[in-house]
């Protein structure tokens, strides 16, 4: 069955470059989340979309990070002027509805970003 | 300080044995508590979701318990299998001030089931 798809699965980039990470949620899921996970840590919240709008972007670490979801389905996480500290696995999750109390989150397998 | 603390940090058990993983949280107000299993290189997969009014929930060989008074949860794995080797992450839902249900993740317990 079609789960949450993230591309690319791996991305290596040089410090200072711009990257885009893509997330295809499960069809019909209105809620979409981006998380960042460093080695040995749990996922850290970045941003939450309900439909096309960012309902909560309080987790974005600084203004180099930006995310869009123009048509309410696919989302792109954009990182400008990448730094070595941005290296992590970026996880996307979608949910049938949000912010419901028991809405299950379905995660993709993540994009492993390495900034050299 | 992380609002969701898990113990032990890592655990090795023999195949067929049972084990219990612990989660203590300070998140408040609290809506629900979830346990996720994360295989290496994969995204987390939901095992259980419990509201504050539920004490226990099972999913096959996985049984989660919740004590909302003491803010503690446990995940019990019965008759472990090699495929249970993974990280198990406790996640607590923080309602916050906006009503948006923000999930607070623990750092996980890394379980290794040895043959």
């Amino acid at each position: 069955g079609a789960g949450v798809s993230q591309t690319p699965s791996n991305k290596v980039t040089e410090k200072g470059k711009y990257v885009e990470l893509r997330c295809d949620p499960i069809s019909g899921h209105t809620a979409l989340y981006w998380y960042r996970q460093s080695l040995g840590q749990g996922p850290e919240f970045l941003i939450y979309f309900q439909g096309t709008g960012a309902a909560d972007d309080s987790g974005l670490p600084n203004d180099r990070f930006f995310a869009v979801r123009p048509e309410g389905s696919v989302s792109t996480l954009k990182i400008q002027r990448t730094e070595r500290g941005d290296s992590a696995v970026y996880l996307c999750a979608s949910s049938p509805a949000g912010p419901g109390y028991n809405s299950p989150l379905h995660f993709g397998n993540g994009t492993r970003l390495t900034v050299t | 300080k992380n609002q969701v603390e898990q113990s032990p940090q890592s655990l090795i058990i023999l195949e067929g044995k049972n084990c219990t993983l612990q989660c203590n949280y300070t998140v408040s107000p609290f809506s629900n508590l979830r346990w996720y299993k994360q295989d290496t290189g994969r995204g987390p997969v939901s095992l259980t979701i419990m509201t504050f009014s539920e004490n226990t929930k099972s999913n096959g060989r996985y049984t989660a318990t919740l004590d909302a008074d003491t803010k503690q949860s446990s995940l019990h794995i019965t008759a472990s299998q090699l495929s249970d080797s993974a990280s198990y992450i406790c996640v607590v839902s923080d309602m916050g001030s906006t009503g948006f249900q923000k999930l607070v993740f623990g750092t996980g317990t890394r379980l290794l089931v040895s043959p």
Side-chain angles (χ1 to χ4, degrees):
Chain A
V4 177
S5 175
Q6 292 188 247
T7 55
S9 55
N10 282 282
K11 175 71 176 177
V12 180
T13 190
E14 293 180 349
K15 179 176 178 294
K17 298 292 187 182
Y18 167 83
V19 296
E20 289 189 351
L21 312 179
R22 176 187 169 105
C23 173
D24 275 277
I26 293 173
S27 177
H29 281 193
T30 59
L32 186 145
Y33 307 78
W34 283 99
Y35 290 86
R36 178 168 70 175
Q37 186 173 26
S38 300
L39 189 64
Q41 302 295 314
E44 172 191 19
F45 171 76
L46 295 176
I47 187 169
Y48 156 63
F49 287 91
Q50 180 60 37
T52 61
D56 186 334
D57 64 357
S58 62
L60 295 178
N62 51 59
D63 60 7
R64 295 187 297 105
F65 288 74
F66 189 71
V68 296
R69 195 186 185 197
E71 298 178 357
S73 55
V74 171
S75 176
T76 304
L77 178 65
K78 308 180 181 191
I79 310 174
Q80 298 178 321
R81 305 183 302 281
T82 52
E83 300 177 356
R84 293 194 179 88
D86 298 335
S87 297
V89 175
Y90 289 82
L91 292 166
C92 176
S94 70
S95 178
Y101 291 128
N102 291 328
S103 295
L105 261 62
H106 301 266
F107 283 87
N109 288 328
T111 292
R112 180 176 297 279
L113 176 66
T114 302
V115 182
T116 61
Chain B
K1 186 183 188 307
N2 198 333
Q3 297 183 76
V4 180
E5 300 281 353
Q6 292 188 242
S7 62
Q9 192 172 31
S10 61
L11 180 64
I12 302 174
I13 61 173
L14 291 175
E15 185 180 11
K17 298 296 186 182
N18 305 334
C19 68
T20 301
L21 314 180
Q22 301 291 342
C23 174
N24 296 334
Y25 62 92
T26 59
V27 174
S28 181
F30 150 74
S31 175
N32 60 60
L33 185 144
R34 309 165 186 228
W35 282 92
Y36 280 84
K37 177 186 178 187
Q38 186 172 25
D39 293 310
T40 301
R42 307 298 293 270
V45 174
S46 180
L47 294 176
T48 62
I49 301 176
M50 289 184 291
T51 66
F52 60 86
S53 61
E54 294 179 287
N55 299 120
T56 185
K57 182 161 283 189
S58 292
N59 177 1
R61 295 179 296 102
Y62 301 102
T63 299
T65 65
L66 173 63
D67 186 334
D69 291 331
T70 62
K71 294 186 168 59
Q72 294 180 324
S73 176
S74 66
L75 180 69
H76 186 74
I77 305 175
T78 303
S80 61
Q81 301 176 358
L82 298 179
S83 60
D84 292 333
S85 296
S87 287
Y88 291 84
I89 305 175
C90 176
V91 186
V92 180
S93 169
D94 179 359
M95 286 303 296
S97 60
T98 62
F100 159 54
Q101 187 184 194
K102 187 172 294 184
L103 301 182
V104 182
F105 287 74
T107 57
T109 291
R110 185 176 299 274
L111 174 67
L112 175 63
V113 180
S114 176

